[in-house]
Amino acid sequence: MSLSILDRPNSYIGRTVPRPNAKKLVQGRGTYVDDIKLPRMVHVAFVRSPYAHARILAIRSDAAQAAPGVVRIVTGAEMAAVCTPWVGVLGHMKGLKSAPQYALAVDRACWQGEAVVAVVAHSRAEAEDAAQLVEIDWEELFVVADMETALDPETPVIHPELGDNLAFRRELDVGDVEKGFAAADAIVEETYITGRHTGVCLEARSILADYQPADEQLVVYHSTQAPHMMQTIFAKHLDLPETNVRVICKDVGGAFGIKVHTYPDEMATVALAKMLRRPVKFIADRMESFVTDIHARDHRVKARMAVSKEGRILAIEADDRTGIGPYSVYPRTSAIEANQVVNLIGGPYTNQNYRCTANVVFQNKNVMCQYRAVGHPIACAVTEGLVDKAARAIGMDPAEFRRRNLIADDAYPYKAPTGMVYEGLSHHKSLDKLLELMQYDRLRAEQAALREKGIHRGIGLAAFIEVTNPSAMFYGVGGARISAQDGCTIRLDPTGVITVSIGVTEQGQGTEAIMAQIAASSVGVPMDKVRLITGDTEVTPYGGGTWASRGAGIGGEATLQAGRALRENILSVAGTMLQAAPQTLDIRAGIIVDADTGAERMKLEELGRVAYFRPDTLPRDCQPELMVTRHYVQKDYAFVFTNGLQASYLEVDTETGFVTLLDHWVVEDCGTIINPQLVDEQIRGGVVQGLGGALFEECLYSADGQMLNANMADYLVPMASEMPDIAIAHVVTPTQTSELGAKGVGEAGTAGAPAAVMNAINDALSPFGASVAAQPFTPERVLRALGKIR
Amino acid sequence: MTESLPLNLPIDLTVNGERISATVPARQHLIDFLRETLSLTGSHIGCEHGVCGACSIRVNGAVVRGCLTLAVQCDGASVDTIEGLSDSGAIADLQSAFHERNALQCGFCTPGMLATGYDIVRRLPDADEARIRRELSGNICRCTGYHAIVDAIETVAAKRGAGA
C-alpha cells in the first residue's frame, strides 16, 4: 500500500509554488482570443436595440452594405435559418419557464443592448462604421422594468405565450415558523437589497470562429470557462455533429462566472463563420459588455428573525424577489441564484424553523445569471444582517450571539432545514481563530475610545457557507449537458516529463499550477518535469470546466488518481526491468528508487527510452502503459460545503457618508490546501469583488429600462487605493469524499465580504440609531440613513 | 459628415528600440496600431475610454493610455511596450516579484500594471503601501484585490532603493 499523496516524500501539496504559466503573462505573451489572427478573418459588430422593448418594423441596410470593407449584413430572420433558438430551463427546477431566445432579435427586442443586426467587415472599425448606417424602424412597446410590479395584474406580460411574467417560484416551509415567532423575546426585520451588478472581466467576452466547409469542421477560439459545454451548444444549435466542433480556450482574461453562459452575439458569430465559410471574430467592447454580459444580484429580500433573550435563533422567514431580464439564460438558467438564496439563508446556524419564498420574474432589462458566489452574498447579507440586529435587540455581543447559534463542530454530518447535508464544517474553530486574528477585544476597546472623540468606526462579522465540489444534482439531473465529472490524462514522455491534460480550465486562479503540483506529487516527479494542457475539447478528457468552485476538488482528485495509476504502471515496468517487486520501488523526484532506502535504481528517462524505443528488450508479456486517464465525480453529497467567517473594520465619515475600509480578515476552511498562496489570493480577489458590490458597483437603470452607467467611468469598481490589506487564516477540515480532501475556495471571499461591511457600517452608525440595508452602501445612502439628506 | 474618409498619415517612430515607418489612419489609436499593425499583442484593450489602464504603454518615458493616444501623435516618439520592457531586462525584477508573489491571476491587466509599477519604482523608490496604492489608481485589476500587486511593487521599490 503506497502512502497517501499528502504524506509522500517531496510532495508539493501544501506548498507555495509559483504558477508556471504565469511567466508568459508577466511578459505580455499570453494568448487571449483577440491576440489570434487567422487568414481571411473578418470582424463582426452588432446593431443593438436602443430600446428596452420594441417591435422591429423595418430594417434598411443598403447604405451600410455599401460602406467600405463590408462583407455581409445579417438580420434576425436570416440568422434564425442557421442558428436555432434555445430555451433556458432545467427539469429539476419545477415550474421554471422561459421563451425561445434567438442569436439575433426576430421581430422585437426585449432589452436595451439586444443584438439585432450583424455587420461583418474586414476590420472592426469598418464594421462599426457600417453598423451606424443601418436604419431600423422601431415601434416602442411597454417596458416592464420594476421587478416589484412585474407580477401585478395590470402589468403587461412580456412573453404572452407564457401567461405571466413569473419565471420561477420556490416555496420552502420547514419546522414550525409560527411557533418560533410566537415564542420570541424579540423579532427583528429588515428589507435587504443587493444592487444589480456584473463581472467586468478586464478581457471582454471574446470569440473567434473558424469554419472549414470541406469537412464541416468548426474550430472556436473562445474565452470561456466550459469548453465542452460550449462544444455541445454550438453543435446543437448550428446543426453540426458534436465531434466536428472543437473549442479551444487559451488564456482567459478573467471570467468570474460571466463566461459560462450562452450569449446571443457569440452564437451569431459562430453562425456567421458557418454562413460565410471563413473565420469571424467578435470582441465585445466595454459598452456592449455592460449591457450584454450577464448581470447578477438584483434581489430584494424581506426577512425577519425570531430570537430568545438567551440569544437563540427561533425562526427565520424571508421573501426574495428578483428580476432576471426577459429570458432565463441558457443552459444554466436564471433561477439558480434565487434557489441558492433559499438554500443558503440561515445556513451556518442551528435554527430549523425556516420559511422562504422566492419569486423570479421577467423584465425588460439585461439578463441575469450566475456570477461568482451565486446567491451567497445575498443570503449571507440577509442572515448576518438579521443576526446583528437580533444581537443588538437583546443587548448581546454579536460574536457571542454567533457562538450560541453556529452549528457545533462535532455535529456533522448535519442536515439543514433546506434538506442540504453539510459533510463537515468548523464554524466554532473558525470563529475562535477570527477573533484572535483580528484581536476582537482590543478592537472593541479602540472603537469605544475613538467614539469618544467623534470618530465612528464599526466592526462587522459575517459567517458563511459556500457551495463547492458540486455533484450532478446541480445541473445534470435537470437535463443539462453540463458535466459534474472531470477527467485527467497523464502521459509519461520518453524524456521523463509528464504531460497532464485535464477538463477543468484556467482563468488565472492557478488551475494549471495546482494540477501540476498534484500530478508531480502523485507520480513522483519534480515540478519542472510537468507540462499542462487545458482548454481544448479535442485533446483533454471530457469535463465540466470551471464553475461552482469545482476545479481543485473535482479536477484535482482526477489528477491525483491518474497520477497514482501512472506511477503504478511505471513501477510495474520498472519492476520487470530491475527484476524487483514493484511494491519495493517508488518514484521520487523523477527517479525510480528503492522504496526503503531511497537509493537510486533508474532514472525515469531511462525507463522511457527503453519502453518507447527498445521494447524489444522487455519480456513479451510486458506492455508498458505509460498514459492513463482517470475520472472523478463527487457523489456523496449534492455539494461539499465549506465555511468561514469574515470581519470588516471601517470608519464612516458621518458628514460626507464616505466609508473607509481599514482592515479585513477572513478565516476559511476549504479542506486540504494545495497551494497556500493561491488559496489566499483567491480569497483576497473574491473579497474585493464582494467589496465592490457592497460599496460601489451597481447597474443603474431608468424607469424605461435604459442602463444609465454602462461605461467604466460611471460604473465604479474597486481600485487599489480604496482597498485594505486582507489578512487570512485557515482551519483545515479535509473532505472525506476524496483522497485529496480539497474543497473549493473561489467564491468564499465574495460570499461574506458584503455582509461584513454592512454590519460594520451599521455598527458604526448604531449610536445614531441609523442603519443601511441596500447595497451598494454609497455615501448618499449612508447620509440618508443618518437623516442628513432626504 | 465630410467627404474625406479616414485620412492616412505617415509616421516614423521607435518601438522597443526598433525604427518603424508606417502609414496609419488618422483616427487609429496607438493601442490598435501596436496590436493590429505591429502584432505586439502584449498590451491589452480593456475599456477603450481611458479608465482601466490595461493598455498602459511607455511613450518617451511616460506612461500613457494606448486607447487615448492616437498613433499619429507618436510620430517621432519612442514607444516601449511590455514586449520591449521584457526583452531589455528593464523590469526583470518586477516581473520576478509579480511571479513569486502571485501578483497576477488572469494576466490581462498585468502588462499595464507593470508599466505603472516600473514608473513607481523609478520615480518613487521610497513609496510606502499607501502611496503605491494611490499611484495604482489608474490601473484596474479584477482578480487579485490588489494586495499582492502592492506587495510586489513595494518589495522591488525597496530593493531598488537600497541598491541605488
Side-chain angles (χ1 to χ4, degrees):
Chain A
M1 177 66 195
S2 49
L3 289 166
S4 149
I5 184 176
L6 307 174
D7 309 318
R8 278 176 53 73
N10 308 317
S11 173
Y12 289 96
I13 308 300
R15 282 169 58 185
T16 287
V17 177
R19 293 159 53 206
N21 60 340
K23 262 191 179 164
K24 66 182 180 196
L25 301 179
V26 296
Q27 296 186 24
R29 285 174 166 128
T31 308
Y32 304 92
V33 172
D34 197 23
D35 300 339
I36 302 169
K37 286 182 195 171
L38 296 178
R40 296 188 71 240
M41 183 174 86
V42 288
H43 300 258
V44 59
F46 294 94
V47 181
R48 297 182 180 277
S49 172
Y51 299 110
H53 196 194
R55 197 179 310 286
I56 302 164
L57 299 178
I59 298 172
R60 286 183 299 280
S61 54
D62 296 353
Q65 188 69 63
V70 170
V71 173
R72 180 84 176 260
I73 293 175
V74 176
T75 63
E78 295 166 80
M79 179 59 67
V82 179
C83 182
T84 58
W86 53 86
V87 181
V89 294
L90 285 166
H92 64 307
M93 305 293 285
K94 287 194 179 58
L96 171 61
K97 59 187 193 264
S98 189
Q101 188 177 9
Y102 290 83
L104 294 177
V106 180
D107 298 334
R108 67 166 178 158
C110 288
W111 85 91
Q112 175 227 1
E114 183 171 0
V116 181
V117 178
V119 179
V120 183
H122 289 117
S123 73
R124 169 78 185 204
E126 287 171 332
E128 286 184 27
D129 287 346
Q132 291 180 1
L133 301 174
V134 174
E135 289 180 46
I136 302 175
D137 292 340
W138 294 98
E139 178 197 347
E140 283 189 71
L141 301 172
F142 64 86
V143 174
V144 181
D146 185 357
M147 66 185 186
E148 294 290 355
T149 56
L151 298 181
D152 292 356
E154 56 273 25
T155 302
V157 175
I158 297 174
H159 304 293
E161 69 275 23
L162 300 182
D164 55 28
N165 288 325
L166 182 70
F168 178 68
R169 172 174 291 150
R170 181 170 171 205
E171 289 172 308
L172 186 72
D173 193 345
V174 186
D176 194 337
V177 173
E178 298 308 330
K179 194 175 151 197
F181 278 97
D185 292 312
I187 293 171
V188 291
E189 58 181 273
E190 183 61 271
T191 298
Y192 294 94
I193 292 169
T194 44
R196 178 181 265 257
H197 54 279
T198 185
V200 197
C201 309
L202 216 47
E203 179 210 28
R205 290 185 294 103
S206 304
I207 192 163
L208 167 57
D210 183 14
Y211 181 70
Q212 301 292 340
D215 52 2
E216 292 191 306
Q217 297 290 316
L218 175 71
V219 179
V220 182
Y221 300 88
H222 196 192
S223 183
T224 181
Q225 299 169 227
H228 282 107
M229 183 191 89
M230 291 313 301
Q231 176 191 29
T232 298
I233 288 170
F234 294 139
K236 180 174 177 182
H237 295 283
L238 293 166
D239 193 26
L240 290 167
E242 193 164 309
T243 47
N244 290 23
V245 178
R246 178 180 184 182
V247 177
I248 298 174
C249 173
K250 296 197 172 190
D251 292 304
V252 173
F256 319 118
I258 301 301
K259 295 173 180 173
V260 72
H261 311 293
T262 304
Y263 287 96
D265 46 19
E266 295 180 9
M267 294 300 286
T269 303
V270 180
L272 286 165
K274 191 181 176 201
M275 293 163 83
L276 298 171
R277 301 171 161 237
R278 63 193 296 181
V280 180
K281 183 189 270 189
F282 169 64
I283 311 293
D285 73 23
R286 187 55 60 187
M287 276 65 158
E288 56 193 346
S289 298
F290 273 113
V291 294
T292 59
D293 284 9
I294 60 112
H295 294 174
R297 313 273 202 265
D298 196 359
H299 287 244
R300 181 277 295 143
V301 185
K302 228 179 263 180
R304 57 188 197 131
M305 177 183 279
V307 288
S308 70
K309 59 181 184 300
E310 292 79 27
R312 298 295 301 198
I313 301 172
L314 303 176
I316 301 174
E317 183 175 31
D319 175 83
D320 179 23
R321 171 67 62 99
T322 179
I324 57 163
Y327 298 100
S328 169
V329 174
Y330 181 68
R332 288 166 192 266
T333 85
S334 303
I336 297 290
E337 182 147 64
N339 201 51
Q340 294 277 63
V341 170
V342 177
N343 283 341
L344 295 170
I345 286 177
Y349 301 107
T350 53
N351 168 59
Q352 290 281 338
N353 301 318
Y354 175 47
R355 179 188 297 152
C356 190
T357 302
N359 282 296
V360 179
V361 304
F362 293 116
Q363 58 185 171
N364 296 110
K365 292 183 182 175
N366 183 23
V367 292
M368 292 219 313
C369 200
Q370 283 80 290
Y371 165 52
R372 193 178 199 170
V374 187
H376 291 65
I378 302 160
C380 185
V382 170
T383 308
E384 296 303 292
L386 290 173
V387 160
D388 263 28
K389 256 183 187 288
R392 198 167 289 128
I394 60 164
M396 186 175 287
D397 177 83
E400 177 57 26
F401 186 93
R402 284 177 175 80
R403 197 186 303 285
R404 293 185 185 199
N405 288 282
L406 288 167
I407 299 163
D409 289 353
D410 60 2
Y412 300 95
Y414 182 90
K415 191 169 181 184
T418 54
M420 295 285 167
V421 179
Y422 309 142
E423 182 208 13
L425 305 177
S426 58
H427 291 299
H428 289 266
K429 277 194 213 101
S430 300
L431 177 61
D432 291 344
K433 199 158 207 171
L434 178 78
L435 298 179
E436 185 190 327
L437 182 69
M438 66 190 288
Q439 302 186 352
Y440 184 75
D441 295 335
R442 184 195 66 74
L443 214 57
R444 282 283 177 211
E446 177 181 298
Q447 177 192 30
L450 289 170
R451 204 162 256 169
E452 300 285 311
K453 299 179 188 168
I455 294 170
H456 300 287
R457 292 193 173 179
I459 299 165
L461 304 178
F464 64 88
I465 55 173
E466 186 200 342
V467 166
T468 81
N469 294 8
S471 70
M473 298 300 286
F474 208 158
Y475 293 111
V477 294
R481 294 171 77 87
I482 296 171
S483 171
Q485 69 81 49
D486 231 287
C488 175
T489 296
I490 308 184
R491 181 182 73 214
L492 177 71
D493 291 333
T495 54
V497 167
I498 58 170
T499 297
V500 180
S501 62
I502 186 156
V504 293
T505 52
E506 171 80 270
Q507 289 84 38
Q509 65 276 64
T511 301
E512 293 194 1
I514 62 166
M515 295 311 155
Q517 287 179 257
I518 295 165
S521 307
S522 190
V523 176
V525 300
M527 282 286 284
D528 62 2
K529 299 284 188 195
V530 185
R531 195 171 69 94
L532 253 293
I533 299 172
T534 61
D536 187 342
T537 56
E538 194 98 320
V539 297
T540 68
Y542 200 96
T546 301
W547 46 275
S549 295
R550 66 186 295 279
I554 306 296
E557 180 69 8
T559 302
L560 185 155
Q561 296 303 338
R564 172 199 289 286
L566 178 62
R567 176 157 45 94
E568 284 169 6
N569 289 2
I570 290 170
L571 291 178
S572 164
V573 178
T576 301
M577 289 173 68
L578 298 168
Q579 298 193 340
Q583 62 271 22
T584 65
L585 302 170
D586 195 8
I587 311 172
R588 292 175 195 165
I591 295 165
I592 293 158
V593 298
D594 186 281
D596 286 340
T597 66
E600 174 172 338
R601 300 294 305 272
M602 182 168 51
K603 291 194 164 51
L604 268 184
E605 49 263 53
E606 174 60 11
L607 182 139
R609 184 188 69 81
V610 171
Y612 286 113
F613 308 120
R614 293 303 308 274
D616 57 300
T617 64
L618 296 173
R620 188 175 178 76
D621 63 349
C622 175
Q623 174 55 57
E625 295 293 349
L626 301 181
M627 177 159 163
V628 298
T629 301
R630 288 293 181 272
H631 294 86
Y632 174 70
V633 65
Q634 191 278 113
K635 284 183 179 172
D636 297 324
Y637 301 90
F639 313 104
V640 178
F641 281 88
T642 68
N643 70 282
L645 287 104
Q646 299 194 23
S648 170
Y649 187 48
L650 52 75
E651 188 169 313
V652 179
D653 183 330
T654 54
E655 296 304 312
T656 65
F658 272 80
V659 172
T660 303
L661 302 174
L662 301 171
D663 274 306
H664 200 98
W665 300 268
V666 182
V667 174
E668 210 278 337
D669 184 348
C670 62
T672 302
I673 293 173
I674 299 159
N675 184 321
Q677 183 186 57
L678 294 182
V679 165
D680 286 0
E681 293 311 317
Q682 274 304 294
I683 292 172
R684 290 197 173 99
V687 163
V688 168
Q689 274 187 335
L691 295 175
L695 294 176
F696 311 115
E697 299 185 39
E698 185 170 21
C699 299
L700 297 167
Y701 273 85
S702 68
D704 56 354
Q706 296 285 319
M707 187 170 166
L708 301 172
N709 59 339
N711 63 76
M712 264 178 149
D714 295 324
Y715 180 100
L716 305 181
V717 299
M719 306 292 287
S721 54
E722 296 144 350
M723 290 297 110
D725 276 2
I726 297 160
I728 296 166
H730 300 277
V731 173
V732 175
T733 309
T735 174
Q736 302 302 311
T737 57
S738 69
E739 184 180 339
L740 183 62
K743 311 176 196 177
V745 75
E747 301 170 280
T750 312
V757 166
M758 177 178 71
N759 284 347
I761 293 173
N762 289 339
D763 186 40
L765 296 181
S766 62
F768 303 94
S771 67
V772 290
Q775 298 178 39
F777 307 113
T778 59
E780 181 189 338
R781 283 176 170 158
V782 171
L783 289 177
R784 273 184 211 286
L786 286 164
K788 298 208 170 173
I789 57 172
R790 304 175 58 166
Chain B
M1 190 170 167
T2 65
E3 73 283 4
S4 60
L5 278 167
L7 183 65
N8 294 316
L9 293 166
I11 55 170
D12 293 292
L13 69 167
T14 305
V15 179
N16 298 330
E18 183 180 335
R19 281 182 293 109
I20 304 283
S21 296
T23 300
V24 298
R27 70 175 181 172
Q28 188 174 47
H29 287 110
L30 175 60
I31 187 67
D32 292 324
F33 174 69
L34 293 171
R35 290 182 51 84
E36 300 295 326
T37 308
L38 302 186
S39 293
L40 291 168
T41 55
S43 308
H44 299 136
I45 299 175
C47 72
E48 292 183 281
H49 49 275
V51 181
C52 80
C55 64
S56 300
I57 292 160
R58 287 174 72 84
V59 177
N60 296 330
V63 180
V64 306
R65 300 287 206 232
C67 74
L68 296 182
T69 307
L70 293 169
V72 292
Q73 287 177 279
C74 296
D75 187 31
S78 173
V79 175
D80 294 300
T81 70
I82 184 68
E83 290 89 347
L85 294 172
S86 297
D87 292 345
S88 72
I91 58 169
D93 53 352
L94 264 177
Q95 288 168 316
S96 161
F98 268 57
H99 189 214
E100 278 167 31
R101 182 61 188 81
N102 202 51
L104 69 153
Q105 289 183 27
C106 79
F108 203 78
C109 76
T110 309
M113 282 288 178
L114 288 166
T116 301
Y118 184 41
D119 192 55
I120 295 170
V121 299
R122 280 161 59 103
R123 203 161 38 80
L124 304 163
D126 299 325
D128 62 5
E129 186 205 321
R131 182 64 191 266
I132 291 170
R133 284 185 177 274
R134 280 205 303 281
E135 290 284 328
L136 285 175
S137 64
N139 292 77
I140 288 173
C141 170
R142 283 296 271 177
C143 298
T144 64
Y146 302 105
H147 188 147
I149 294 173
V150 174
D151 283 355
I153 293 174
E154 198 175 4
T155 305
V156 173
K159 274 190 192 157
R160 284 197 176 202

